[in-house]
Amino acid sequence: MKKSLSILLSLIMIITALCALPFSALAEDYGIWVGGTQVTSTNKENVLGDGTISYNAQTNTLILNNANIQMSYETYHGTVAIYTTDNLTVIGYGTVGNSNTRFGIYAEDEKNLTLNGDFTITGSLNGIYSYNNKLLIKGGNINVTGGINGIFASGNGEITLNGGNVSATGNGETNSYGSGIQSEKLIVNGGSLTATGGTNGNLGYGISSSSLSINGGRVTAIGNNNALFTAPTLASNVTALASYNTTGTGAVSYDASLIGSYKWFRSTYAETFDFYAVGDCFTWGFTPGNSDGGLRNNGDGTYSRTFTAVKAVQKAMLKVTDGASQWYGDELGRNYTFTITGAGEFTVTYYSSTNKVSVCGDVVDEYVLPVSSVTAIGTGKNNFLNDEGWTFSDDNKLSEVTPGVWEIAYDNVGAGNYEFKFALDGGWTSNFGPESSATVVSGMPQNAKYNASSNIAFNVENDNSTVKLQLDLSNYRYITDSGAKFTVTIFSPEPTFTVTYDFNGGTKNGESTYVTQQYAYAPAISVRNFIEIMEVTPPAGKELDAIEVNGVRYELGSIYMLNQDTNYKYLWKDIAPIVTETPKATLSSTSYTYDGKVKTPLVTVKVGAATLKKGTDYTVAYAKGRKNVGAYKVTVIYKGKYSGKKGLTFKINPKGTSVSKATSPKKSQIKVTWKKQTSQTTGYQIQYSASSKFTAKATKTVWVNKNKTTSKTISKLKSKKKYYVRIRTYKTLNKTKYYSGWKKYSKAITVK
């Protein structure tokens, strides 16, 4: 009795302790297993810990990002790469299962399974097994292979194909039928399906379904026994051919009464379209006329279609065409350019009333032109562009003085006519020039255009001038090619006056009665005004007879006439030009790294060598916040004998990260793994280069748009070649990117 009571008390204590735990401490388990790991509320952001798989519990969506699922979960049916008893949608791209895994995907419990992406799915028994479920394939490129059946929907299982390109192959084991697709019901509304059964001489059907409805798309069935198990129901405009051998040679018009003889069957849907979407984000590229890209007439002057994106694409481009001569894109007639943030769907719409195109969807963002460097290139001469004529040079790269604003200045530029452009990232692919051929006005911002047809031209009138170039992309929108500004500011040299004072008829023989001095004035003034403001005190016992200014002699009478209301002897008291200096304000620092603390840079204001006093000569106003990543303004307001105000800017950049590992897991690939940095960051920018100095020509850039991602596989590299890798974080605010410093990996990686 005492022992039973003790056990009961222990159970009560355990239950009480569990109830006392906060709700967040109890992980929620989902009916999904991936690579032998159950998906839970605690691992859903990174199911396998390698950044390739995540799960959205609100939409029951599993997102594959170049996933390679080779491990399996042991069920009572056998081993499974992806096993689900919940409703599940799988998007993205990757490899699922292998010949040692019994099933690539296994779904049961009368739920819905949806596939929408690029997948290679393999199982030693069935590539996909769906028990009493509804399997929907919406899009992408799906290649399924099974030792017996490619796709098997048993019981009351139903398969619907609405889009995409599907290849289903069932090899068929010895003395066992193998079908490309086996199901109670198969409905094809669109897309392309190739189903092959009984390969390598084994028994099998292409499609073994009790009910087969073909309403659209393209269907090809090949079976070592028969192409089809039952005669299909063909919608209007669907035509079909059939053949008595698996190669399809000698095909004739399909005859339902001969269904038991055909080993090859193909149907096509004669759907016509007025417009097609083409682009580098589609498998058919920019080739018009592909029915998978046909836009459907909405009856209101618009034509649209929803497509599948399988992965993130920083710069995706498309146009709409009538299939003949007309092409439609963005507001400027270019390719409609946008960013795909990840796997999912997006809709392309063409408006016939305006001949414009739009793209929308949860995975679509406005394309932001990436800029890692800006180089001035042009007629380098007379010390302009460091004498580099139309040549890329690191010496002519501009500095990013504030986010999106780039500047460079050249001193001692000789008089002459000059032309140049702003080239981005060390090449001509992206550059900025003038919106028009109007004359450049010094110091006045003018509109800059992306890949302009003409050069920025300007004139320098005086030798020893300073030329400052500025490109402002802080408000630039690529989609409208608007908001970019350039400014060319020419600072002419300050006028220098060489003055010779002649006291009592002194001569140019070194006598003390002849004195020569130089004065520099800013802003520029005339010689007449210079003489009027000069003040001179003759040496004791001497009188001024005349002066020479820049080699021109002015006699006493001439000087007197210039100052006819004042006796010159009292006017000239000392040799000191009258110059009013402007206060110059600077910040103790213009760049910080985010650490969660408020930043307050010190302000210093000087006039010449003298430092002004805060509170007496000026006050300072700081922008609010100054803690998170971004740009902040500091305003200096002058007072007392000084007037006006000066705006200064500093920025807080995100904290950086570092590469923890870089390897070459497969041929032509590098896999980069880094330390996660989620505080005040949007994502990561990775560069890989054949040059240890990361020269522009040898360097490529990869963007990772999620800050929780910790690895990236880079493909299509040259085998046996050595690469260097570096990484930095970035954060996007109001379409402006803020970057951390680069962190280079310690050693080079040789690609397999």
Side-chain angles (χ1 to χ4, degrees):
M1 181 67 182
K2 290 182 179 180
K3 185 176 181 180
S4 299
L5 180 60
S6 176
I7 294 173
L8 179 61
L9 289 173
S10 298
L11 289 172
I12 292 173
M13 291 176 67
I14 292 171
I15 294 171
T16 303
L18 287 173
C19 292
L21 287 173
F23 179 77
S24 59
L26 300 175
E28 180 181 357
D29 295 337
Y30 306 110
I32 303 164
W33 285 259
V34 180
T37 299
Q38 185 172 14
V39 180
T40 68
S41 57
T42 57
N43 70 8
K44 64 182 181 180
E45 298 294 334
N46 191 0
V47 177
L48 297 183
D50 60 1
T52 64
I53 301 174
S54 59
Y55 179 68
N56 186 326
Q58 283 69 42
T59 60
N60 302 106
T61 302
L62 193 69
I63 303 102
L64 275 57
N65 182 17
N66 196 24
N68 186 15
I69 307 171
Q70 298 299 302
M71 301 297 289
S72 57
Y73 173 63
E74 184 71 46
T75 72
Y76 63 91
H77 311 290
T79 55
V80 185
I82 296 179
Y83 176 71
T84 178
T85 58
D86 289 347
N87 292 323
L88 181 63
T89 297
V90 185
I91 65 174
Y93 67 113
T95 300
V96 181
N98 52 58
S99 59
N100 295 319
T101 304
R102 199 161 178 79
F103 304 93
I105 298 178
Y106 194 115
E108 62 179 339
D109 283 357
E110 300 183 359
K111 298 295 175 60
N112 298 321
L113 173 63
T114 302
L115 302 180
N116 194 356
D118 287 0
F119 308 118
T120 298
I121 305 171
T122 307
S124 63
L125 187 60
N126 297 307
I128 298 175
Y129 185 87
S130 177
Y131 179 69
N132 279 341
N133 288 310
K134 290 185 177 181
L135 170 60
L136 171 63
I137 299 176
K138 298 180 67 174
N141 297 285
I142 301 175
N143 191 330
V144 186
T145 303
I148 296 181
N149 300 304
I151 303 175
F152 184 16
S154 67
N156 295 318
E158 179 180 308
I159 302 173
T160 302
L161 175 62
N162 283 345
N165 299 299
V166 178
S167 173
T169 302
N171 294 321
E173 295 177 346
T174 304
N175 298 323
S176 176
Y177 277 87
S179 300
I181 290 182
Q182 181 175 341
S183 64
E184 180 66 25
K185 187 176 183 180
L186 173 62
I187 303 169
V188 180
N189 296 319
S192 175
L193 169 63
T194 300
T196 306
T199 59
N200 300 323
N202 296 326
L203 303 174
Y205 288 94
I207 299 175
S208 178
S209 294
S210 300
S211 172
L212 173 59
S213 300
I214 303 177
N215 304 315
R218 299 177 299 280
V219 176
T220 301
I222 304 169
N224 193 40
N225 291 85
N226 297 101
L228 304 173
F229 176 77
T230 188
T233 301
L234 304 178
S236 60
N237 294 330
V238 173
T239 59
L241 296 174
S243 174
Y244 300 108
N245 58 68
T246 57
T247 63
T249 54
V252 295
S253 296
Y254 162 73
D255 183 344
S257 64
L258 301 175
I259 187 66
S261 302
Y262 297 137
K263 294 188 177 183
W264 181 93
F265 169 89
R266 175 169 294 170
S267 69
T268 57
Y269 177 52
E271 185 176 12
T272 58
F273 300 97
D274 296 319
F275 300 98
Y276 300 86
V278 296
D280 63 3
C281 50
F282 306 116
T283 57
W284 53 92
F286 280 93
T287 303
N290 190 302
S291 61
D292 289 336
L295 303 184
R296 295 190 169 91
N297 191 339
N298 299 319
D300 58 358
T302 65
Y303 300 77
S304 64
R305 190 163 185 168
T306 298
F307 299 94
T308 299
V310 300
K311 59 183 176 181
V313 180
Q314 187 209 4
K315 186 178 183 181
M317 296 185 292
L318 62 81
K319 273 192 171 181
V320 169
T321 177
D322 61 3
S325 59
Q326 298 301 314
W327 296 76
Y328 309 104
D330 63 13
E331 295 288 334
L332 304 175
R334 308 171 301 176
N335 290 325
Y336 189 100
T337 305
F338 59 104
T339 294
I340 299 174
T341 59
E345 296 181 341
F346 63 92
T347 300
V348 178
T349 302
Y350 166 66
Y351 300 85
S352 60
S353 59
T354 60
N355 287 333
K356 295 297 184 291
V357 175
S358 74
V359 180
C360 62
D362 292 339
V363 298
V364 171
D365 271 353
E366 182 174 322
Y367 175 69
V368 177
L369 186 68
V371 182
S372 60
S373 67
V374 178
T375 306
I377 306 177
T379 53
K381 60 182 181 179
N382 301 332
N383 212 46
F384 178 60
L385 300 181
N386 295 303
D387 294 322
E388 295 283 356
W390 297 105
T391 301
F392 285 92
S393 170
D394 288 346
D395 292 336
N396 294 318
K397 285 185 177 180
L398 284 69
S399 299
E400 191 174 13
V401 293
T402 59
V405 180
W406 305 74
E407 287 184 357
I408 193 170
Y410 300 93
D411 295 324
N412 302 318
V413 176
N417 297 314
Y418 300 91
E419 293 186 12
F420 77 99
K421 271 189 172 183
F422 296 102
L424 308 186
D425 302 330
W428 285 112
T429 302
S430 296
N431 64 80
F432 280 90
E435 183 180 55
S436 67
S437 58
T439 303
V440 172
V441 179
S442 175
M444 181 176 292
Q446 296 178 232
N447 291 333
K449 304 304 291 181
Y450 183 73
N451 289 351
S453 58
S454 57
N455 302 322
I456 300 171
F458 65 96
N459 179 57
V460 175
E461 295 184 355
N462 301 307
D463 287 337
N464 300 318
S465 294
T466 295
V467 177
K468 184 174 77 172
L469 310 179
Q470 183 189 87
L471 179 63
D472 184 350
L473 300 178
S474 59
N475 296 307
Y476 180 65
R477 292 187 67 201
Y478 180 88
I479 194 169
T480 57
D481 193 18
S482 62
K485 299 282 186 181
F486 76 87
T487 307
V488 177
T489 305
I490 304 169
F491 301 92
S492 295
E494 296 176 344
T496 301
F497 300 119
T498 301
V499 182
T500 302
Y501 301 97
D502 186 348
F503 301 109
N504 296 119
T507 59
K508 298 180 181 180
N509 58 6
E511 297 178 8
S512 61
T513 55
Y514 193 92
V515 180
T516 298
Q517 291 191 329
Q518 286 190 330
Y519 302 89
Y521 272 79
I525 63 173
S526 66
V527 173
R528 178 188 177 95
N529 290 335
F530 167 73
I531 294 173
E532 287 179 342
I533 65 175
M534 272 197 320
E535 296 182 0
V536 178
T537 300
K542 301 289 184 180
E543 291 184 357
L544 180 66
D545 290 330
I547 61 172
E548 286 185 8
V549 180
N550 292 345
V552 178
R553 189 174 179 85
Y554 293 86
E555 301 295 336
L556 180 60
S558 299
I559 299 172
Y560 182 81
M561 291 302 295
L562 288 172
N563 301 276
Q564 56 186 340
D565 297 329
T566 309
N567 188 306
Y568 76 92
K569 292 181 180 179
Y570 297 100
L571 174 65
W572 294 336
K573 296 178 180 178
D574 54 36
I575 306 172
I578 301 173
V579 179
T580 301
E581 295 189 73
T582 302
K584 183 177 181 181
T586 58
L587 296 176
S588 59
S589 179
T590 58
S591 180
Y592 294 90
T593 298
Y594 170 77
D595 60 5
K597 299 178 181 179
V598 174
K599 306 302 177 187
T600 307
L602 298 177
V603 176
T604 301
V605 183
K606 289 187 175 184
V607 173
T611 301
L612 300 188
K613 186 176 181 180
K614 183 178 179 181
T616 301
D617 301 312
Y618 66 93
T619 59
V620 180
Y622 291 90
K624 295 181 180 179
R626 311 192 312 281
K627 182 168 73 171
N628 293 331
V629 170
Y632 299 92
K633 190 172 183 181
V634 180
T635 304
V636 181
I637 305 168
Y638 299 120
K639 57 185 294 188
K641 62 180 180 180
Y642 303 100
S643 61
K645 60 183 179 180
K646 175 68 175 179
L648 305 171
T649 303
F650 72 93
K651 61 182 179 180
I652 301 175
N653 293 315
K655 187 177 180 180
T657 186
S658 61
V659 176
S660 55
K661 184 170 64 174
T663 60
S664 180
K666 292 183 178 181
K667 186 176 181 181
S668 303
Q669 287 186 349
I670 287 178
K671 182 177 180 181
V672 183
T673 304
W674 59 88
K675 297 177 181 179
K676 182 167 62 176
Q677 181 57 259
T678 57
S679 297
Q680 287 292 297
T681 59
T682 300
Y684 308 90
Q685 189 184 45
I686 302 169
Q687 286 190 341
Y688 59 97
S689 178
S691 165
S692 61
K693 296 182 179 180
F694 288 85
T695 58
K697 187 175 182 181
T699 302
K700 300 293 184 182
T701 301
V702 176
W703 294 81
V704 178
N705 297 320
K706 290 186 178 180
N707 60 14
K708 293 182 180 179
T709 301
T710 57
S711 68
K712 178 70 176 178
T713 299
I714 303 167
S715 304
K716 299 181 180 179
L717 302 178
K718 292 184 179 180
S719 293
K720 309 303 180 183
K721 190 168 184 177
K722 184 183 293 184
Y723 287 90
Y724 299 86
V725 177
R726 64 181 183 179
I727 190 170
R728 65 178 177 179
T729 64
Y730 74 91
K731 183 174 177 63
T732 303
L733 292 173
N734 298 323
K735 301 176 184 177
T736 297
K737 284 185 169 61
Y738 297 82
Y739 300 91
S740 72
W742 287 108
K743 187 69 174 179
K744 183 180 176 182
Y745 190 53
S746 59
K747 59 184 178 180
I749 304 96
T750 301
V751 179
K752 289 183 179 179

